[in-house]
Amino acid sequence: MVLQKRTVRPRHLLLAAMLALLLFFSSFWLPQGGGRDCGSAGQPCLKEAAPPLVPPEAPSLIKECPGQSFQAKILLQYLKLSLSDADDILLEPYLQSWDQLLKFMKSLGTMISLFSGKVTEKVEVIQELSLKHSAKDHGKRSPQTPASFGLKTGAYRSLRSMVEAELKEGVVDFSHRSDSGCRTLLRLHRSLLWLKLMLEGLAEGPDTDGQFKTPGELCRDAYIVALAPHHPWVLRQAAEFVFLALPERQYFLQLVCVQTQQEATPVLQIIINALELVHTQTQRILAQHDMLELP
């Protein structure tokens, strides 16, 4: 399926330029921390029993979509791989799952691509940190291929190993901003919640009047919970313009290779379940080390 390219109106180009400037001058793109209490400051409550990662019917429901870069099936594969080490998150497949999520975001148009650019920077920070650490361990440039970025072994193999290594080296600052991998991953963690909440809205049925919320409304609702509490006022206002420029619901359905809401709901729920497991595991590890409030 080849998705039709959306026309960018002059007004949207102007808004995109304004937002680019705001993002450039703002240092608070991704959340700057938050309370550790369940349900406060946008913090999600940890679930005791998470749903299965990939239900038995998943292979037949999740289809490959010819002609588009985002593939839900590939996203699910990486999310599952990131959880393959018990009670941990493997960083290489975790970042690979972000590659797919970024493709999803970029497919939504110019305005969202401004947001996805900041997420890309966060992914690259962790990749570079892992490569530098691997090179230091070998006393020279890492013998691993550039594609692995030192994520297959060593300190940046998993979230727990990264946390332990950075705490030992003293690179995690609990009172000031730092360029640690832990702080960077916390920002990705918050954005994962934003995307998960938005997809949950898309999976829901109509209201009592038979009306569906627009993707813009759903994206704004998710933003208010996951990201807005950690953003300055000017960035929150700019985000409102981004949500106005989102495509219609049918476009989102096409991204997961379905045509109707009835087809979309079970497909989206499978993706949501996988995101929930990864988010919950990450939340638990960060909370164990008091890293949910890193500045």
Side-chain angles (χ1 to χ4, degrees), residues 17 32 34 43 59 87 92 97-98 127 165 184 229 264 289:
Q32 305 303 311
Q43 292 287 345
D87 197 34
E92 184 177 39
S97 68
W98 266 111
Q127 290 173 332
T184 302
H289 296 275

Side-chain angles (χ1 to χ4, degrees), residues 36-294:
R36 275 172 283 172
D37 294 333
C38 175
S40 65
Q43 292 287 345
C45 297
L46 297 181
K47 294 185 178 180
E48 293 298 326
L53 178 60
V54 182
E57 68 272 18
S60 61
L61 289 177
I62 306 294
K63 303 175 182 178
E64 182 178 351
C65 293
Q68 67 180 48
S69 57
F70 170 71
Q71 297 291 336
K73 180 174 287 189
I74 296 177
L75 170 61
L76 284 170
Q77 290 172 353
Y78 287 140
L79 291 172
K80 183 177 181 179
L81 284 172
S82 72
L83 292 162
S84 58
D85 202 348
D87 197 34
D88 206 347
I89 295 290
L90 297 181
L91 288 182
E92 184 177 39
Y94 175 82
L95 296 181
Q96 287 172 325
S97 68
W98 266 111
D99 287 339
Q100 282 298 312
L101 290 170
L102 282 164
K103 290 176 181 179
F104 173 80
M105 294 171 69
K106 291 176 181 178
S107 67
L108 302 181
T110 304
M111 299 288 278
I112 287 292
S113 70
L114 294 172
F115 283 72
S116 63
K118 286 297 179 180
V119 176
T120 300
E121 291 175 8
K122 304 301 180 186
V123 172
E124 291 174 349
V125 165
I126 297 177
Q127 290 173 332
E128 288 300 321
L129 286 172
S130 66
L131 184 60
K132 289 179 182 178
H133 200 281
S134 179
K136 184 177 67 174
D137 286 347
H138 288 83
K140 58 181 180 178
R141 189 167 183 81
S142 172
Q144 299 182 33
T145 62
S148 71
F149 288 101
L151 293 165
K152 292 186 179 300
T153 60
Y156 287 81
R157 174 181 176 272
S158 73
L159 176 54
R160 288 193 181 278
S161 63
M162 179 181 72
V163 168
E164 293 170 2
E166 292 196 340
L167 285 175
K168 183 178 180 180
E169 294 177 4
V171 298
V172 181
D173 197 320
F174 287 84
S175 57
H176 299 89
R177 290 185 59 185
S178 67
D179 293 326
S180 67
C182 295
R183 177 188 182 276
T184 302
L185 190 133
L186 174 61
R187 273 65 186 166
L188 291 176
H189 176 62
R190 301 301 186 193
S191 287
L192 192 74
L193 175 62
W194 174 48
L195 289 170
K196 184 182 80 73
L197 293 176
M198 183 182 69
L199 292 177
E200 285 178 350
L202 284 171
E204 292 177 355
D207 58 23
T208 54
D209 296 326
Q211 299 296 315
F212 288 96
K213 281 190 174 182
T214 68
E217 291 171 331
L218 296 173
C219 198
R220 181 186 61 208
D221 291 347
Y223 175 83
I224 289 172
V225 172
L227 296 175
H230 315 283
H231 286 178
W233 179 87
V234 66
L235 191 54
R236 293 199 302 269
Q237 297 305 304
E240 291 289 335
F241 291 111
V242 174
F243 306 144
L244 291 175
L246 286 179
E248 297 300 319
R249 178 179 287 261
Q250 186 61 35
Y251 186 87
F252 282 84
L253 301 189
Q254 292 175 4
L255 286 176
V256 292
C257 220
V258 299
Q259 296 295 327
T260 67
Q261 183 65 39
Q262 185 176 8
E263 293 176 316
T265 297
V267 171
L268 289 171
Q269 194 57 57
I270 292 169
I271 300 172
I272 292 163
N273 290 347
L275 293 172
E276 174 69 24
L277 278 177
V278 172
H279 184 273
T280 299
Q281 184 77 294
T282 304
Q283 178 91 356
R284 182 179 294 113
I285 295 171
L286 293 175
Q288 287 171 352
H289 296 275
D290 294 325
M291 289 185 173
L292 295 175
E293 298 182 7
L294 290 178

